[in-house]
Amino acid sequence: MLHPKHNRIDYGDQLIPPDGYELAYAVGTSYSLDLEALMILPVALFYAQKLDGNADELRYDMLDAITKAADKITVYYQNGQLKVPQKYHHLMAYWEKGIQPVTMPHHASSFHPKVWVIRYEGKGLAPKYRVLVTSRNLTFARDWDMAFATDGEVSDKEQPKNKPLVHFLQYLNTTGKKTIPAAFLNDLLKVKFDLPEKFDAFKFVPIGIPNSETGKPYSNPITTAKTLWDEMLIVSPFVDKTTLNSIYEATSKTPYLLSRKEELDAVDEETLNLFDCWQFSTFFQEAEYFQELEDDGTPPLAQSLHAKLFVAMQDRVPYWYLGSANCSDPAQGRNVEFMVELKAGNWAGLKTKDIFKALTDPAKSEGITLFTPYTFEARVSVEEQKNIDLAIRKIKYDLTKLTIKGTATLIEGGTAYYLSIQIDASHLTLPKGFEVKVKPLPENQKAGVAINPEKINSIDNFGGYAETALSIFLVFEIAKDGHVHSQFLLPMEIELPNSRLNKIFSAIIDSREKFLKYLTFLLTGEETDLIGNAKGNKDKTSANGNDAWAFTGTPVYEKLLIASSRFPDKLKSIDTLIQRLKEETTELDEPIITAEFEGFWNVFQTFIKNKN
């Protein structure tokens, strides 16, 4: 049930639609968010592909999924936790309206849930929902995490146990500019979700958001339960003395505590002596650096513990709590979190001691021992780093509260833009030794400009950007004594040209050959090759020299006829594609959308209009 070798899951597999279904709408939440991860996420949701692509190897299915993602997917994240991509790709602009930062009322609070709620629809089939509750952020981190997933169909009556989940989504509706559709919420309330094997019941457990019916906030059930646990297993990357003492007082036997070494080092020995303490294996932390990974080109990363799991026993019945909440004070209600409670049946492998052995005993885990005994002799002071982290947290929060405005001005007689940035830092103060710099996201030549606290900053250092390179995001960098400790993105209030997204698209589909391949993909889903990087390629011509070869002399014509009768919605997508390319490529020596093709397409346009 929790074997480190046999119970591994793939994030992308959890998002792929069931057979016969396709994505209708999805809501996701994450504490930290990676724009590069967002570039490949839609491929799993739209086209049932694994999360194994990258922006430098853009496929036709990736392009199509990214360009329509923001219409059907909304991702909420903690403001100030949008990661700076290693390489900026212009297609990231398509996600700008699909991601929503959440600003908490205090710098010591976090928007911390990691949840997906997805609606799938299939022709002639009842709508299905999937809920994924996990400890994993939407980034490329390869830390050890946990996840729970359940599917269900929309029934004809309300399911009371779904109310906490609906309340959580209603809370999200109060935090940003986008609104989750009412029909999505109404049907979610009627979904009968599958019960996981070997478990008798489960509950959705939001934390730190209001109950829409009572007005009272949801609290953490682990520490607020009015009960005495017989046994407790804690797996948490972050811990603190207050929460540990609270759990110890509510547990009869010595609890198991599995965490990161640096977190255990930060807790006093008197508190730790109350627990059976284990640390995440240093072997697994560094494993990627001495494994042969050159074959797949994946750079090695340090692994760490990021899973959050509490297994409690009461009257021989195991209760599992997993999701986003750490064993720390913020997770008791100051943060917004999301967990799931699972009541287990009388099965082997589900009890506290079973899970403990699976994670610590080589004989039970086939040599994959994730945790080793914690020793007090190897303790290292982490107080200085903790103080720096707290100071950066406060600075970062204060930056998210600033008014940041930008203006993009077309250079006279040219096609590039200047950027003017105004940051009102009148109420910003920085601790001694700290400095904040800022620059536009697409800037890769100039260094960031230092922000002067307690002043209004007008920055005119940046320019020469093509319209396709413009972004609403700025890169902020926090340093102490010259050492950079944090980099992240914040959006600015700025009006960018309405044609920007179309220009980005047409800069990729920049030849008739690419247009034909993209058209083939939209009609059949079969063209998933990489999009060629060369521009202005000479396309093939037919034997008679007529450029209509690419449309009427190939099976595309027949495929369009089939689509017009069986899949009329595909024709609407194609019409949008044609109009987009027509607007942006009229000045080319050889336009992609020729007069011959427009005459050919008029027949299908008439069909689309008649269907509406």
Side-chain angles (χ1 to χ4, degrees):
M1 180 55 68
L2 197 61
H3 194 286
K5 182 175 181 179
H6 300 298
N7 299 124
R8 304 291 295 277
I9 62 172
D10 180 88
Y11 201 154
D13 287 343
Q14 301 304 306
L15 303 176
I16 288 174
D19 290 343
Y21 286 83
E22 61 182 28
L23 174 70
Y25 195 79
V27 178
T29 67
S30 182
Y31 171 68
S32 54
L33 186 60
D34 191 324
L35 286 175
E36 291 175 287
L38 283 177
M39 290 282 285
I40 58 175
L41 172 81
V43 184
L45 284 164
F46 282 102
Y47 293 116
Q49 298 292 324
K50 289 184 178 293
L51 301 183
D52 58 358
N54 66 70
D56 292 329
E57 297 182 345
L58 189 64
R59 304 190 306 261
Y60 289 95
D61 56 348
M62 289 175 64
L63 174 64
D64 187 60
I66 291 167
T67 55
K68 65 186 183 184
D71 293 332
K72 290 189 175 184
I73 308 170
T74 304
V75 180
Y76 297 82
Y77 67 97
Q78 163 93 356
N79 200 2
Q81 291 297 325
L82 186 60
K83 291 184 176 293
V84 179
Q86 292 185 5
K87 182 178 181 181
Y88 177 65
H89 194 289
H90 299 164
L91 275 174
M92 292 175 181
Y94 275 90
W95 264 112
E96 291 172 356
K97 292 183 179 179
I99 58 176
Q100 298 290 312
V102 178
T103 303
M104 297 296 287
H106 191 270
H107 77 272
S109 302
S110 295
F111 178 78
H112 200 249
K114 300 100 167 67
V115 182
W116 280 97
V117 184
I118 310 169
R119 178 186 173 101
Y120 303 105
E121 294 178 355
K123 191 172 183 180
L125 300 170
K128 277 192 175 183
Y129 279 73
R130 178 175 298 155
V131 176
L132 180 64
V133 180
T134 178
S135 60
R136 189 170 190 81
N137 288 307
L138 193 46
T139 70
F140 284 122
R142 292 200 283 274
D143 294 339
W144 287 74
D145 280 284
M146 289 190 65
F148 161 86
T150 180
D151 287 12
E153 290 187 358
V154 177
S155 68
D156 56 359
K157 61 181 181 179
E158 186 177 294
Q159 305 293 324
K161 73 176 182 181
N162 294 353
K163 285 185 178 181
L165 178 59
V166 173
H167 294 164
F168 174 70
L169 297 187
Q170 289 172 337
Y171 160 79
L172 295 180
N173 268 344
T174 68
T175 64
K177 297 178 181 179
K178 289 187 74 175
T179 301
I180 301 168
F184 182 89
L185 296 175
N186 292 338
D187 276 354
L188 177 59
L189 197 55
K190 296 184 288 185
V191 176
K192 189 172 182 180
F193 285 106
D194 298 333
L195 185 65
E197 185 181 358
K198 297 185 179 181
F199 287 92
D200 295 337
F202 75 89
K203 296 179 182 178
F204 295 118
V205 185
I207 300 171
I209 61 112
N211 182 318
S212 301
E213 295 179 341
T214 66
K216 296 180 179 180
Y218 284 98
S219 59
N220 192 317
I222 302 159
T223 52
T224 60
K226 296 179 180 180
T227 186
L228 184 67
W229 301 110
D230 299 325
E231 299 176 22
M232 176 73 73
L233 167 78
I234 303 165
V235 179
S236 178
F238 299 99
V239 298
D240 63 30
K241 175 180 179 177
T242 301
T243 311
L244 288 174
N245 282 327
S246 175
I247 289 178
Y248 174 77
E249 291 171 3
T251 308
S252 297
K253 296 182 180 180
T254 301
Y256 300 108
L257 175 58
L258 288 64
S259 187
R260 300 176 178 177
K261 179 184 183 301
E262 58 269 27
E263 283 296 303
L264 296 173
D265 286 349
V267 179
D268 64 278
E269 292 189 28
E270 182 180 0
T271 299
L272 292 185
N273 278 324
L274 303 174
F275 293 80
D276 187 355
C277 297
W278 295 68
Q279 68 183 49
F280 188 72
S281 167
T282 54
F283 170 82
F284 281 103
Q285 283 183 310
E286 304 298 328
E288 291 194 14
Y289 290 95
F290 45 78
Q291 290 178 356
E292 302 265 341
L293 294 177
E294 292 82 358
D295 289 343
D296 62 7
T298 303
L301 289 176
Q303 297 182 19
S304 189
L305 173 68
H306 198 252
K308 292 90 173 169
L309 171 68
F310 301 79
V311 181
M313 297 288 294
Q314 188 179 54
D315 297 329
R316 299 183 180 180
V317 177
Y319 291 84
W320 287 34
Y321 298 89
L322 64 92
S324 67
N326 286 291
C327 185
S328 61
D329 189 55
Q332 307 316 306
R334 194 165 76 219
N335 288 354
V336 172
E337 309 273 5
F338 202 95
M339 306 285 281
V340 63
E341 175 191 290
L342 295 151
K343 181 182 178 183
N346 188 22
W347 293 86
L350 301 181
K351 298 178 181 180
T352 303
K353 290 181 180 178
D354 299 326
I355 303 305
F356 173 72
K357 289 180 180 179
L359 297 176
T360 63
D361 186 350
K364 297 290 184 180
S365 58
E366 297 181 33
I368 302 181
T369 308
L370 293 182
F371 295 89
T372 58
Y374 175 75
T375 57
F376 289 95
E377 293 77 11
R379 285 167 69 86
V380 176
S381 175
V382 294
E383 184 176 356
E384 182 180 356
Q385 186 58 49
K386 287 277 186 180
N387 290 335
I388 292 174
D389 292 343
L390 289 173
I392 290 175
R393 183 186 183 95
K394 176 67 164 57
I395 294 169
K396 186 179 289 189
Y397 181 80
D398 290 343
L399 290 172
T400 67
K401 303 289 284 186
L402 301 182
T403 299
I404 306 171
K405 295 183 178 181
T407 304
T409 305
L410 187 64
I411 297 173
E412 187 175 350
T415 58
Y417 287 78
Y418 281 126
L419 272 183
S420 298
I421 304 166
Q422 187 178 81
I423 301 176
D424 186 352
S426 303
H427 301 290
L428 176 69
T429 58
L430 297 176
K432 184 179 179 180
F434 284 90
E435 182 182 48
V436 176
K437 291 184 178 180
V438 64
K439 67 176 183 178
L441 173 56
E443 180 59 57
N444 54 23
Q445 300 292 328
K446 296 181 180 179
V449 174
I451 295 176
N452 294 310
E454 302 180 13
K455 292 183 179 180
I456 295 177
N457 292 248
S458 296
I459 301 171
D460 296 305
N461 299 49
F462 301 104
Y465 304 114
E467 183 177 331
T468 54
L470 295 175
S471 171
I472 67 170
F473 293 113
L474 299 174
V475 177
F476 283 79
E477 179 182 281
I478 302 175
K480 183 181 187 299
D481 300 327
H483 176 70
V484 176
H485 285 270
S486 179
Q487 285 187 318
F488 58 97
L489 302 179
L490 288 178
M492 57 180 163
E493 299 175 30
I494 187 171
E495 279 194 30
L496 297 177
N498 292 330
S499 57
R500 179 175 58 124
L501 296 184
N502 279 354
K503 285 186 183 298
I504 291 171
F505 184 87
S506 60
I508 297 169
I509 303 300
D510 58 357
S511 71
R512 295 178 196 169
E513 181 180 8
K514 292 177 185 177
F515 169 59
L516 175 62
K517 288 186 176 182
Y518 190 37
L519 190 62
T520 301
F521 168 75
L522 291 177
L523 288 169
T524 68
E526 296 171 357
E527 181 60 69
T528 56
D529 291 343
L530 297 180
I531 301 175
N533 294 320
K535 294 186 177 183
N537 291 339
K538 273 277 185 180
D539 293 311
K540 299 176 183 178
T541 56
S542 62
N544 61 11
N546 188 332
D547 73 356
W549 72 271
F551 310 107
T552 58
T554 73
V556 170
Y557 180 75
E558 287 79 4
K559 290 168 185 173
L560 282 169
L561 287 175
I562 294 171
S564 65
S565 60
R566 299 181 187 176
F567 313 108
D569 286 344
K570 288 186 176 182
L571 294 186
K572 295 177 185 177
S573 297
I574 293 169
D575 191 55
T576 300
L577 164 67
I578 291 169
Q579 299 311 316
R580 176 188 291 163
L581 290 174
K582 182 180 175 183
E583 291 173 10
E584 298 301 333
T585 62
T586 52
E587 297 179 3
L588 294 179
D589 294 336
E590 296 184 6
I592 294 174
I593 308 301
T594 64
E596 290 85 354
F597 179 70
E598 281 198 80
F600 163 76
W601 182 246
N602 282 340
V603 176
F604 294 94
Q605 271 189 320
T606 303
F607 180 83
I608 294 171
K609 291 175 183 177
N610 292 337
K611 279 286 184 179
N612 291 339

